[in-house]
Amino acid sequence: MRHDIDIAGVLVPSLLLWLVVAYGCVALLRALLRRLGVYRLVWHPALFDFAMYVCVLGGIVYLASEWSS
């Protein structure tokens, strides 16, 4: 998936947009998990957040590549 997206004359790599989308999804998911009290069971919250971000980003990129082909 090596496409650039044109936003007002500026070429932006598509991965950058997926990074921003994944960050928004993880921010919402993190707030939900904190409200449910899941973070009381997590040993290292920062590592858990990073792993969750990588998994969400991988899923978004996979779905985007499947949808575009």
Side-chain angles (χ1 to χ4, degrees), residues 9-65:
V10 178
L11 292 177
V12 177
S14 59
L15 181 60
L16 179 64
L17 295 176
W18 298 135
L19 289 169
V20 172
V21 169
Y23 182 76
C25 292
V26 168
L28 292 173
L29 189 58
R30 188 181 325 135
L32 176 68
L33 292 176
R34 280 210 175 117
R35 182 169 287 220
L36 293 175
V38 174
Y39 277 92
R40 289 182 291 135
L41 305 172
V42 174
W43 171 67
H44 199 292
L47 185 61
F48 180 77
D49 288 342
F50 179 68
M52 187 169 50
Y53 178 75
V54 170
C55 290
V56 169
L57 177 63
I60 287 173
V61 170
Y62 175 75
L63 290 175
S65 67

